mmCIF file of all heavy atoms in Angstrom:
data_model
loop_
_atom_site.group_PDB
_atom_site.id
_atom_site.type_symbol
_atom_site.label_atom_id
_atom_site.label_comp_id
_atom_site.label_asym_id
_atom_site.label_seq_id
_atom_site.Cartn_x
_atom_site.Cartn_y
_atom_site.Cartn_z
ATOM 1 N N VAL A 156 -26.628 -12.500 35.980
ATOM 2 C CA VAL A 156 -26.070 -11.378 35.286
ATOM 3 C C VAL A 156 -26.429 -10.077 36.016
ATOM 4 O O VAL A 156 -27.595 -9.849 36.246
ATOM 5 C CB VAL A 156 -26.605 -11.301 33.820
ATOM 6 C CG1 VAL A 156 -26.028 -10.085 33.112
ATOM 7 C CG2 VAL A 156 -26.255 -12.575 33.060
ATOM 8 N N ARG A 157 -25.390 -9.347 36.352
ATOM 9 C CA ARG A 157 -25.618 -8.077 37.038
ATOM 10 C C ARG A 157 -25.449 -6.957 36.035
ATOM 11 O O ARG A 157 -24.382 -6.827 35.419
ATOM 12 C CB ARG A 157 -24.632 -7.885 38.222
ATOM 13 C CG ARG A 157 -24.794 -6.543 38.915
ATOM 14 C CD ARG A 157 -23.797 -6.327 40.038
ATOM 15 N NE ARG A 157 -23.777 -5.019 40.541
ATOM 16 C CZ ARG A 157 -24.647 -4.495 41.394
ATOM 17 N NH1 ARG A 157 -25.697 -5.234 41.788
ATOM 18 N NH2 ARG A 157 -24.554 -3.252 41.856
ATOM 19 N N LEU A 158 -26.488 -6.132 35.900
ATOM 20 C CA LEU A 158 -26.473 -5.003 34.975
ATOM 21 C C LEU A 158 -26.044 -3.739 35.695
ATOM 22 O O LEU A 158 -26.653 -3.328 36.649
ATOM 23 C CB LEU A 158 -27.860 -4.832 34.336
ATOM 24 C CG LEU A 158 -28.374 -6.016 33.572
ATOM 25 C CD1 LEU A 158 -29.809 -5.689 33.040
ATOM 26 C CD2 LEU A 158 -27.488 -6.352 32.377
ATOM 27 N N ASP A 159 -24.972 -3.110 35.269
ATOM 28 C CA ASP A 159 -24.435 -1.878 35.839
ATOM 29 C C ASP A 159 -24.427 -0.851 34.751
ATOM 30 O O ASP A 159 -24.283 -1.107 33.557
ATOM 31 C CB ASP A 159 -23.052 -2.076 36.394
ATOM 32 C CG ASP A 159 -22.999 -2.949 37.644
ATOM 33 O OD1 ASP A 159 -24.031 -2.958 38.373
ATOM 34 O OD2 ASP A 159 -22.043 -3.692 37.800
ATOM 35 N N ASN A 160 -24.562 0.410 35.227
ATOM 36 C CA ASN A 160 -24.431 1.532 34.300
ATOM 37 C C ASN A 160 -23.075 2.208 34.538
ATOM 38 O O ASN A 160 -22.640 2.469 35.656
ATOM 39 C CB ASN A 160 -25.514 2.604 34.628
ATOM 40 C CG ASN A 160 -26.891 2.027 34.342
ATOM 41 O OD1 ASN A 160 -27.090 1.401 33.356
ATOM 42 N ND2 ASN A 160 -27.844 2.309 35.241
ATOM 43 N N ARG A 161 -22.361 2.423 33.406
ATOM 44 C CA ARG A 161 -21.045 3.007 33.466
ATOM 45 C C ARG A 161 -21.043 4.273 32.611
ATOM 46 O O ARG A 161 -21.346 4.235 31.445
ATOM 47 C CB ARG A 161 -19.961 2.053 32.947
ATOM 48 C CG ARG A 161 -19.734 0.883 33.876
ATOM 49 C CD ARG A 161 -19.235 1.311 35.225
ATOM 50 N NE ARG A 161 -19.155 0.221 36.205
ATOM 51 C CZ ARG A 161 -18.943 0.356 37.511
ATOM 52 N NH1 ARG A 161 -18.817 1.612 37.980
ATOM 53 N NH2 ARG A 161 -18.873 -0.685 38.323
ATOM 54 N N ALA A 162 -20.698 5.406 33.236
ATOM 55 C CA ALA A 162 -20.616 6.650 32.534
ATOM 56 C C ALA A 162 -19.262 6.818 31.949
ATOM 57 O O ALA A 162 -18.215 6.656 32.639
ATOM 58 C CB ALA A 162 -20.922 7.828 33.501
ATOM 59 N N VAL A 163 -19.149 7.176 30.662
ATOM 60 C CA VAL A 163 -17.886 7.332 29.976
ATOM 61 C C VAL A 163 -17.813 8.772 29.475
ATOM 62 O O VAL A 163 -18.746 9.224 28.824
ATOM 63 C CB VAL A 163 -17.748 6.341 28.804
ATOM 64 C CG1 VAL A 163 -16.405 6.559 28.055
ATOM 65 C CG2 VAL A 163 -17.850 4.901 29.294
ATOM 66 N N PRO A 164 -16.775 9.501 29.756
ATOM 67 C CA PRO A 164 -16.641 10.871 29.255
ATOM 68 C C PRO A 164 -16.520 10.974 27.755
ATOM 69 O O PRO A 164 -15.872 10.108 27.135
ATOM 70 C CB PRO A 164 -15.367 11.399 29.949
ATOM 71 C CG PRO A 164 -14.582 10.190 30.268
ATOM 72 C CD PRO A 164 -15.571 9.127 30.574
ATOM 73 N N ILE A 165 -17.165 11.941 27.136
ATOM 74 C CA ILE A 165 -17.111 12.023 25.677
ATOM 75 C C ILE A 165 -15.757 12.585 25.207
ATOM 76 O O ILE A 165 -15.434 12.451 24.039
ATOM 77 C CB ILE A 165 -18.258 12.930 25.179
ATOM 78 C CG1 ILE A 165 -18.172 14.303 25.780
ATOM 79 C CG2 ILE A 165 -19.594 12.267 25.494
ATOM 80 C CD1 ILE A 165 -19.295 15.228 25.249
ATOM 81 N N ASN A 166 -15.016 13.210 26.114
ATOM 82 C CA ASN A 166 -13.659 13.663 25.801
ATOM 83 C C ASN A 166 -12.910 13.749 27.080
ATOM 84 O O ASN A 166 -13.402 13.414 28.136
ATOM 85 C CB ASN A 166 -13.639 14.953 24.993
ATOM 86 C CG ASN A 166 -14.294 16.101 25.708
ATOM 87 O OD1 ASN A 166 -14.136 16.306 26.930
ATOM 88 N ND2 ASN A 166 -15.153 16.867 25.025
ATOM 89 N N GLN A 167 -11.633 14.162 27.028
ATOM 90 C CA GLN A 167 -10.785 14.263 28.174
ATOM 91 C C GLN A 167 -10.816 15.599 28.927
ATOM 92 O O GLN A 167 -9.953 15.905 29.715
ATOM 93 C CB GLN A 167 -9.329 13.939 27.764
ATOM 94 C CG GLN A 167 -9.161 12.520 27.217
ATOM 95 C CD GLN A 167 -9.575 11.455 28.156
ATOM 96 O OE1 GLN A 167 -9.181 11.451 29.323
ATOM 97 N NE2 GLN A 167 -10.467 10.549 27.733
ATOM 98 N N SER A 168 -11.862 16.332 28.679
ATOM 99 C CA SER A 168 -12.032 17.626 29.348
ATOM 100 C C SER A 168 -12.232 17.337 30.869
ATOM 101 O O SER A 168 -12.955 16.402 31.242
ATOM 102 C CB SER A 168 -13.199 18.391 28.772
ATOM 103 O OG SER A 168 -13.563 19.504 29.630
ATOM 104 N N PRO A 169 -11.697 18.153 31.749
ATOM 105 C CA PRO A 169 -11.882 17.906 33.170
ATOM 106 C C PRO A 169 -13.340 17.943 33.601
ATOM 107 O O PRO A 169 -13.746 17.166 34.532
ATOM 108 C CB PRO A 169 -11.112 19.075 33.849
ATOM 109 C CG PRO A 169 -10.093 19.489 32.842
ATOM 110 C CD PRO A 169 -10.712 19.212 31.516
ATOM 111 N N LYS A 170 -14.159 18.739 32.927
ATOM 112 C CA LYS A 170 -15.586 18.790 33.237
ATOM 113 C C LYS A 170 -16.227 17.408 33.022
ATOM 114 O O LYS A 170 -16.981 16.895 33.866
ATOM 115 C CB LYS A 170 -16.281 19.861 32.389
ATOM 116 C CG LYS A 170 -17.756 19.927 32.677
ATOM 117 C CD LYS A 170 -18.391 21.077 31.860
ATOM 118 C CE LYS A 170 -18.262 20.849 30.350
ATOM 119 N NZ LYS A 170 -19.021 21.894 29.570
ATOM 120 N N TYR A 171 -15.989 16.815 31.852
ATOM 121 C CA TYR A 171 -16.580 15.518 31.512
ATOM 122 C C TYR A 171 -15.988 14.409 32.350
ATOM 123 O O TYR A 171 -16.682 13.462 32.716
ATOM 124 C CB TYR A 171 -16.456 15.254 30.000
ATOM 125 C CG TYR A 171 -17.261 16.197 29.171
ATOM 126 C CD1 TYR A 171 -16.624 17.136 28.357
ATOM 127 C CD2 TYR A 171 -18.645 16.164 29.152
ATOM 128 C CE1 TYR A 171 -17.370 18.024 27.576
ATOM 129 C CE2 TYR A 171 -19.380 17.031 28.360
ATOM 130 C CZ TYR A 171 -18.727 18.003 27.559
ATOM 131 O OH TYR A 171 -19.452 18.837 26.825
ATOM 132 N N LEU A 172 -14.699 14.454 32.583
ATOM 133 C CA LEU A 172 -14.067 13.432 33.438
ATOM 134 C C LEU A 172 -14.644 13.426 34.830
ATOM 135 O O LEU A 172 -14.957 12.373 35.421
ATOM 136 C CB LEU A 172 -12.546 13.669 33.455
ATOM 137 C CG LEU A 172 -11.773 13.400 32.199
ATOM 138 C CD1 LEU A 172 -10.362 13.842 32.323
ATOM 139 C CD2 LEU A 172 -11.830 11.874 31.838
ATOM 140 N N THR A 173 -14.825 14.619 35.413
ATOM 141 C CA THR A 173 -15.355 14.678 36.776
ATOM 142 C C THR A 173 -16.814 14.259 36.807
ATOM 143 O O THR A 173 -17.178 13.527 37.740
ATOM 144 C CB THR A 173 -15.258 16.159 37.224
ATOM 145 O OG1 THR A 173 -13.931 16.593 37.203
ATOM 146 C CG2 THR A 173 -15.778 16.265 38.708
ATOM 147 N N THR A 174 -17.588 14.631 35.798
ATOM 148 C CA THR A 174 -19.027 14.230 35.785
ATOM 149 C C THR A 174 -19.169 12.716 35.694
ATOM 150 O O THR A 174 -19.953 12.080 36.367
ATOM 151 C CB THR A 174 -19.726 14.880 34.554
ATOM 152 O OG1 THR A 174 -19.570 16.335 34.698
ATOM 153 C CG2 THR A 174 -21.163 14.513 34.539
ATOM 154 N N ALA A 175 -18.377 12.077 34.806
ATOM 155 C CA ALA A 175 -18.401 10.614 34.640
ATOM 156 C C ALA A 175 -17.940 9.911 35.909
ATOM 157 O O ALA A 175 -18.539 8.910 36.351
ATOM 158 C CB ALA A 175 -17.548 10.203 33.506
ATOM 159 N N ASP A 176 -16.928 10.464 36.592
ATOM 160 C CA ASP A 176 -16.481 9.839 37.846
ATOM 161 C C ASP A 176 -17.577 9.937 38.939
ATOM 162 O O ASP A 176 -17.771 8.923 39.645
ATOM 163 C CB ASP A 176 -15.193 10.540 38.306
ATOM 164 C CG ASP A 176 -14.653 9.961 39.600
ATOM 165 O OD1 ASP A 176 -14.279 8.784 39.608
ATOM 166 O OD2 ASP A 176 -14.631 10.681 40.611
ATOM 167 N N ILE A 177 -18.188 11.092 39.069
ATOM 168 C CA ILE A 177 -19.291 11.220 40.074
ATOM 169 C C ILE A 177 -20.436 10.278 39.742
ATOM 170 O O ILE A 177 -21.010 9.637 40.690
ATOM 171 C CB ILE A 177 -19.755 12.683 40.114
ATOM 172 C CG1 ILE A 177 -18.606 13.568 40.664
ATOM 173 C CG2 ILE A 177 -20.968 12.835 41.004
ATOM 174 C CD1 ILE A 177 -18.943 15.034 40.648
ATOM 175 N N ALA A 178 -20.808 10.183 38.456
ATOM 176 C CA ALA A 178 -21.953 9.295 38.106
ATOM 177 C C ALA A 178 -21.601 7.813 38.456
ATOM 178 O O ALA A 178 -22.507 7.121 38.971
ATOM 179 C CB ALA A 178 -22.245 9.441 36.622
ATOM 180 N N ASN A 179 -20.353 7.442 38.206
ATOM 181 C CA ASN A 179 -20.020 6.022 38.557
ATOM 182 C C ASN A 179 -19.939 5.785 40.039
ATOM 183 O O ASN A 179 -20.223 4.721 40.516
ATOM 184 C CB ASN A 179 -18.640 5.737 37.929
ATOM 185 C CG ASN A 179 -18.724 5.621 36.386
ATOM 186 O OD1 ASN A 179 -19.708 5.223 35.873
ATOM 187 N ND2 ASN A 179 -17.636 5.996 35.737
#
């Protein structure tokens, strides 16, 4: 089992979308 962390934006704001994409 491989454990990965996935960041999910809390809304569709560009700020949160960009942050989640960079984290992933």
Side-chain angles (χ1 to χ4, degrees):
V156 178
R157 175 180 171 80
L158 300 177
D159 291 328
N160 296 316
R161 292 297 173 190
V163 179
I165 59 177
N166 57 44
Q167 296 303 309
S168 168
K170 179 177 64 174
Y171 292 111
L172 289 171
T173 302
T174 303
D176 180 64
I177 294 176
N179 290 328

